[in-house]
Amino acid sequence: MAKINENYLKLPGSYLFSTIAKKVAAYSEQNPDKEIIKMGIGDVTKPLAPSVTEAMHRAVDEMGTAEGFHGYGPEQGYDFLREKIVEKDYKAREMDIKPDEIFVSDGAKSDCGNIGDIFAKDNKVAVCDPVYPVYVDTNAMAGRAGDFVNGHWTNLYYMPCTEENGFMPELPEEKVDIIYLCFPNNPTGVSATREQLKPWIKYAKENGSVILYDSAYEAFITDPDVPHSIYELDGAKEVAIEFRSFSKTAGFTGTRCAYTVVPHELKLNGTELNGLWNRRQCTKFNGVPYIIQRGAEAVYSDEGYAETREAIRYYLDNAKIIRDALTEAGLTVYGGENAPYIWAKTPDGMKSWDFFDKLLEEAGVVTTPGAGFGPSGEGYIRLTAFSTKENTIKAMEKIKKIL
Ligand SMILES: *Cc1c(COP(=O)(O)O)cnc(C)c1O
């Protein structure tokens, strides 16, 4: 008889967003005349930039001609895009990354999840707490996380990110093999400086660990001390894989385009991980559509860059509105300066779900309870800057009124 992957049965239900949706639906049913403002949106809301859609239109037309038709493309992405990425995201910031170290994909979420394919099952994995759930669940599916007991996976190494440590994980006190880091962070909105990242490179070198660096929110960085890439740090190419995405940078959440960097210098036991990832992608992935890659290329044109920056600026302005209003309302807030996320401490040690309920029922504002991102998220709520400016202002007025 065929057998299922039993690891899937160990996964707790993903109740966070469905519970929120149910609570919101119940509230609007009981209060049909009350307005609800969603400040928990985890998706961009601004449309694609004109340069991007124009490039996509041109690519669509090309596809309808005999000369311009593109069938299966290279699994790793077209050279025109890989070369642009190297030039604009790396060379322009004085990093030496080669086009064949770039793997274009349909998402950083897929890549963060799929990367586990090239690692053995018995690696010890470290994750931040709170955390983007993809890192945890995909390792659980692979059998690397152990069992889920009292809110914790028995084989994962949790690195609490708390107010005491400024939401910066501390170096593991034991030897871990794979370390997931995400900066600017989702959900806390906190970013890491070069100085804060340096010890991680050293730790990884000393312990033979690999850092999986999720840089999905790189475009939101405003602080010059915050690196846009892990490879801005010396020695990072020997220990780190980096994930980037056009999703938050350029509004590609619905069009799907991202890339992963696996430097040739990164070797385990003499084997280049670049070759393994290439083998994995060639076997299981058939590339991102030509039309989409032409759209992504346009993000790097002068106009495309200016247009996409405008949307980022808009979200960052919203983040500032949220930070200022919540601070004025007496809350302690973190993040929102180099990220579209604000991590707010609940008042008087209130549980995050209780504060979520209070904001929904009294102010009609939907947030995300921090406890949904891991045990250390208890006592916090996450707000996002992806709403419209008008709604952001309105939601903040309502919250100020009730606090
Ligand atoms: C949104 C997000 C991504 C991007 O995922 P895509 O699949 O590229 O849309 C990656 N990592 C984190 C932490 C995110 O929040």
Side-chain angles (χ1 to χ4, degrees), residues 266-340:
L266 177 54
K267 292 175 196 160
L268 290 176
N269 258 335
T271 302
E272 280 193 20
L273 297 194
N274 179 290
L276 296 189
W277 184 242
N278 187 50
R279 189 74 172 84
R280 191 267 169 213
Q281 289 298 80
C282 290
T283 301
K284 295 195 186 183
F285 183 63
N286 239 340
V288 175
Y290 173 74
I291 298 160
I292 302 300
Q293 292 193 57
R294 280 295 182 199
E297 181 193 28
V299 172
Y300 295 105
S301 68
D302 290 345
E303 314 79 64
Y305 182 76
E307 289 161 4
T308 48
R309 293 314 296 177
E310 212 176 289
I312 302 276
R313 193 68 256 167
Y314 181 91
Y315 298 135
L316 282 172
D317 286 348
N318 283 347
K320 181 163 180 3
I321 291 169
I322 299 169
R323 276 184 64 93
D324 291 350
L326 296 183
T327 306
E328 211 178 298
L331 297 183
T332 307
V333 299
Y334 298 94
E337 285 169 319
N338 297 289

Side-chain angles (χ1 to χ4, degrees), residues 111-357:
D111 285 358
C112 287
N114 294 333
I115 198 76
D117 278 15
I118 65 169
F119 293 104
K121 189 179 155 183
D122 58 356
N123 280 295
K124 184 82 186 178
V125 175
V127 292
C128 291
D129 166 30
V131 70
Y132 180 57
V134 177
Y135 318 144
V136 172
D137 291 1
T138 54
N139 276 291
M141 290 169 178
R144 234 176 258 125
D147 295 303
F148 193 65
V149 182
N150 294 330
H152 281 83
W153 289 94
T154 50
N155 285 356
L156 290 185
Y157 184 91
Y158 287 88
M159 305 182 287
C161 298
T162 62
E163 199 172 26
E164 289 71 40
N165 59 27
F167 304 97
M168 254 331 117
E170 279 148 46
L171 290 175
E173 282 164 15
E174 57 180 84
K175 205 167 140 64
V176 299
D177 305 306
I178 296 173
I179 304 165
Y180 287 83
L181 293 179
C182 172
F183 292 110
N185 190 263
N186 176 11
T188 67
V190 168
S191 53
T193 62
R194 276 178 203 86
E195 286 306 313
Q196 286 171 315
L197 285 173
K198 261 189 200 165
W200 292 91
I201 308 293
K202 186 161 172 273
Y203 174 94
K205 278 200 178 159
E206 285 168 1
N207 292 281
S209 333
V210 174
I211 296 171
L212 301 178
Y213 195 76
D214 186 343
S215 189
Y217 295 97
E218 164 277 329
F220 290 81
I221 294 170
T222 54
D223 187 336
D225 293 332
V226 173
H228 289 250
S229 162
I230 187 88
Y231 306 120
E232 287 186 39
L233 286 114
D234 285 341
K237 283 200 280 185
E238 288 150 53
V239 295
I241 290 175
E242 178 161 280
F243 303 95
R244 291 247 198 141
S245 174
F246 294 93
S247 285
K248 316 297 163 34
T249 307
F252 273 58
T253 51
T255 23
R256 316 302 306 140
C257 196
Y259 66 86
T260 289
V261 186
V262 191
H264 288 296
E265 286 92 330
L266 177 54
K267 292 175 196 160
L268 290 176
N269 258 335
T271 302
E272 280 193 20
L273 297 194
N274 179 290
L276 296 189
W277 184 242
N278 187 50
R279 189 74 172 84
R280 191 267 169 213
Q281 289 298 80
C282 290
T283 301
K284 295 195 186 183
F285 183 63
N286 239 340
V288 175
Y290 173 74
I291 298 160
I292 302 300
Q293 292 193 57
R294 280 295 182 199
E297 181 193 28
V299 172
Y300 295 105
S301 68
D302 290 345
E303 314 79 64
Y305 182 76
E307 289 161 4
T308 48
R309 293 314 296 177
E310 212 176 289
I312 302 276
R313 193 68 256 167
Y314 181 91
Y315 298 135
L316 282 172
D317 286 348
N318 283 347
K320 181 163 180 3
I321 291 169
I322 299 169
R323 276 184 64 93
D324 291 350
L326 296 183
T327 306
E328 211 178 298
L331 297 183
T332 307
V333 299
Y334 298 94
E337 285 169 319
N338 297 289
Y341 299 118
I342 289 89
W343 194 238
K345 202 174 171 185
T346 62
D348 311 317
M350 206 184 243
K351 293 272 183 205
S352 54
W353 275 108
D354 292 341
F355 194 47
F356 168 89
D357 288 337

